[in-house]
Amino acid sequence: MSSKPKVIEHLGRVEAITTNEISVVIVSQSACASCHAKGACSASDVEEKRIVVKKPNHNYSVGETVKVTMNQSLGFKALFLGYLLPLIIVLVTLFVFSGVGYTEAQAGIFSLLVLPPYYLILYLLRNKIAKEFYFDIDKI
């Protein structure tokens, strides 16, 4: 019995089409965006995101509603690279600088100063990282 990999799915609308790529707009909502009290709360948010899907052989049209899918494991990898790894780096840096005799304030500043280089490196490697994240689309 083979287990099918879990996927993350979003409904989207085809925005643009080129020879090898399809640009899809999805609407991302926080869980509280549909709450009846969202008008009185600043926590709710709705955001449009554009996703480019490499699809050389396609039969989609602009404005068509589609389902965008990605393996759930890739979602966890994105979460790790964007949030968890920087947190780990900040904490390790904080403990190392505190342990070698710097004051708490100095250690805190040094630990925060490691974030810009980390995100710069992530930005510079964005094309290589993007090759690992594969989105697919399906007709509804």
Side-chain angles (χ1 to χ4, degrees):
M1 181 174 157
S2 66
S3 64
K4 191 174 182 183
K6 294 182 180 180
V7 295
I8 300 169
E9 299 178 350
H10 288 285
L11 291 180
R13 179 182 42 82
V14 176
E15 181 180 54
I17 299 175
T18 64
T19 307
N20 292 321
E21 298 177 342
I22 301 171
S23 178
V24 179
V25 175
I26 62 170
V27 177
S28 177
Q29 295 184 1
S30 64
C32 56
S34 60
C35 175
H36 68 283
K38 71 179 177 181
C41 177
S42 62
S44 65
D45 69 339
V46 175
E47 182 182 0
E48 277 192 353
K49 296 181 182 175
R50 282 171 183 69
I51 295 174
V52 176
V53 180
K54 304 230 185 277
K55 197 83 166 176
N57 301 318
H58 60 78
N59 57 350
Y60 296 94
S61 58
V62 174
E64 184 176 0
T65 302
V66 294
K67 180 173 59 172
V68 180
T69 59
M70 179 179 77
N71 283 342
Q72 189 176 28
S73 63
L74 293 177
F76 291 131
K77 185 173 187 174
L79 176 73
F80 179 77
L81 289 174
Y83 297 105
L84 296 179
L85 186 56
L87 176 65
I88 292 167
I89 291 171
V90 165
L91 291 176
V92 167
T93 306
L94 181 66
F95 290 129
V96 167
F97 278 102
S98 292
V100 295
Y102 286 94
T103 66
E104 289 179 10
Q106 291 171 327
I109 290 170
F110 288 139
S111 66
L112 291 177
L113 288 176
V114 300
L115 288 177
Y118 171 78
Y119 283 112
L120 177 64
I121 291 168
L122 205 61
Y123 176 77
L124 294 174
L125 295 174
R126 71 187 179 280
N127 292 330
K128 182 178 180 183
I129 294 170
K131 290 177 184 176
E132 297 177 30
F133 290 90
Y134 179 77
F135 292 96
D136 198 10
I137 62 174
D138 295 312
K139 290 189 176 279
I140 296 180

